[in-house]
Amino acid sequence: MTADDGPRFQQIRDDYAALEPGQSDTWNPLLRDVELEHRVELLRALVHALRASGRPHDELTVVDVGCGNGRSTRLYLELGLKPAQLTGVDLRGGALALAATLNPAITWREVGDAPWPMAAGSVSWVSLCTVFSSIASAADRRHLAAEITRIASPTGQLFFWDRTHALDFAGGQPLVPGDWFDGFAVIWQADTV
């Protein structure tokens, strides 16, 4: 049996059960400088992308995919969005429980293989921060991209901020967003991620 034959997203659940179990906060910028640098660069990239989008930020409906404990979702609050505009989705209930504790006004949803609880074409901004680099299975990447494409409005935009290659535990292969998201035009691209 190959990774593509098993239960959808099982590899991610297994890896993150060890990397960030339950309601832990492994990637807190107070704990490691690399996490601080990651958050500063994420903030910079997100500001540039939102500016380049040409959309008024108060009109966005945002879904933050793979939100974990919600740190990247809450970053949108610092940029002027309201909690009612934000939904964070993740596979891990423990991470979402911590996210809900930290900001109960944001909508948090545990998702998996089934279609997400969002109507087709209802989301104007989909955010993915270092998500695809954790996924080893090509089938899981395709499935996730299809669900993201389903919920995005016809004029929806995708903020894809990730590494150029999958993490070692996810196979290390090159990551090319255009392989999964051919319906989204590039409006801004970071020099490096």
Side-chain angles (χ1 to χ4, degrees), residues 55 121-123 152-156 183:
R55 293 181 169 218
S122 64
V123 177
S153 72
T155 59

Side-chain angles (χ1 to χ4, degrees), residues 66-99:
C67 68
N69 65 26
R71 187 171 278 117
S72 56
T73 314
R74 292 187 305 275
L75 188 57
Y76 284 91
L77 298 173
E78 294 298 319
L79 300 177
L81 278 75
K82 306 288 187 251
Q85 293 175 260
L86 305 173
T87 300
V89 299
D90 203 279
L91 297 169
R92 302 172 301 129
L96 291 167
L98 178 56

Side-chain angles (χ1 to χ4, degrees), residues 1-2 6 11 39 83 95 97 99 107 113 116 125 132 152 168 173-174 192:
M1 175 152 80
T2 68
Q11 165 263 323
R39 293 294 159 190
T107 300
D113 196 28
W116 297 350
W125 185 272
F132 273 59
D168 290 342
Q173 62 272 53
T192 60

Side-chain angles (χ1 to χ4, degrees), residues 165-188:
H165 288 75
L167 294 161
D168 290 342
F169 69 80
Q173 62 272 53
L175 298 175
V176 181
D179 289 351
W180 311 290
F181 299 106
D182 59 0
F184 292 88
V186 175
I187 58 167
W188 175 82

